[in-house]
Amino acid sequence: MLIPHDTRRALDVVVGLVNTAPESEPTDRLTDVEALTDFAVRYDVSDVGELTWADVRAVREVRARFADVFGASDPRTAAELINQLIAAAGTTPRLTDHDGYHWHVHYFAPGASMADHLAADCGMALSFILVSGELERLRRCEAPDCRHAFVDLSRNRSRRYCDSRTCGNRLHVAAYRARRKEASG
């Protein structure tokens, strides 16, 4: 699956955003303006002005709607959710080549709030996944103690864990130890 750079970055942002929620983490990681600012810096979200508590609340609402997309049981439900996000954001596609990146499309209007920015750009990235017939690539980690979201970009759509080095490895080691214990009986 060929994914343009800007779409890939937006998918990383939406996954990072969904994974800040209490459903994915022990506590909410978007607790205040500083946490939202840190998120914007960590994910290099461009064109973000001074953030406020209103931005924190709005981004949390957008995050919840993105989480619903990852939990959608069928493409029609996912499409409805994505359409609502994009429409509410007032999507305004425009070409840009900022910060050393080649030409790419931003879908948010200049001066948009961070919530509208995320809803537009990340919503469009998710829409590309959906129209490609790849909704099943939007997943939650299968580790019993982890609910992180991720986009499975493996060739054969076989990824089961958010991170094979942590969740995947931990489960494989536990299964190995259980087999050894059973064999030694």
Side-chain angles (χ1 to χ4, degrees):
M1 175 177 200
L2 180 62
I3 300 176
H5 173 267
D6 53 328
T7 302
R8 175 59 197 204
R9 289 194 69 223
L11 290 171
D12 290 343
V13 172
V14 72
V15 165
L17 181 62
V18 169
N19 288 339
T20 65
E23 298 82 36
S24 298
E25 289 291 319
T27 60
D28 193 328
R29 291 191 355 228
L30 285 183
T31 55
D32 54 25
V33 174
E34 183 179 350
L36 184 57
T37 301
D38 290 347
F39 178 86
V41 169
R42 183 177 330 112
Y43 287 95
D44 197 21
V45 180
S46 62
D47 292 338
V48 174
E50 188 172 332
L51 299 171
T52 67
W53 272 103
D55 292 305
V56 174
R57 286 188 293 275
V59 169
R60 282 179 174 171
E61 289 176 25
V62 167
R63 175 183 68 185
R65 294 168 81 188
F66 279 136
D68 291 343
V69 173
F70 274 82
S73 58
D74 60 88
R76 183 163 308 283
T77 302
E80 289 172 9
L81 293 165
I82 294 168
N83 282 337
Q84 291 168 5
L85 279 160
I86 292 169
T91 305
T92 308
R94 63 188 166 96
L95 289 166
T96 183
D97 67 342
H98 64 89
D99 299 330
Y101 294 109
H102 294 290
W103 287 104
H104 59 283
V105 180
H106 279 190
Y107 295 97
F108 60 93
S113 70
M114 184 164 172
D116 285 346
H117 176 143
L118 295 173
D121 269 9
C122 297
M124 288 303 297
L126 292 174
S127 73
F128 292 131
I129 295 293
L130 187 124
V131 299
S132 297
E134 302 286 353
L135 184 64
E136 71 275 1
R137 290 184 182 272
L138 304 181
R139 298 192 175 161
R140 292 286 187 161
C141 185
E142 291 183 19
D145 59 341
C146 182
R147 293 296 302 145
H148 279 139
F150 66 95
V151 179
D152 178 5
L153 296 178
S154 65
R155 285 186 186 192
N156 61 0
R157 299 175 191 88
S158 63
R159 189 169 158 200
R160 298 174 53 208
Y161 307 109
C162 63
D163 186 346
S164 61
R165 289 172 297 200
T166 54
C167 290
N169 192 41
R170 190 174 62 245
L171 287 176
H172 289 110
V173 168
Y176 171 77
R177 288 180 179 159
R179 286 191 306 271
R180 296 222 356 142
K181 183 177 180 181
E182 185 178 304
S184 67

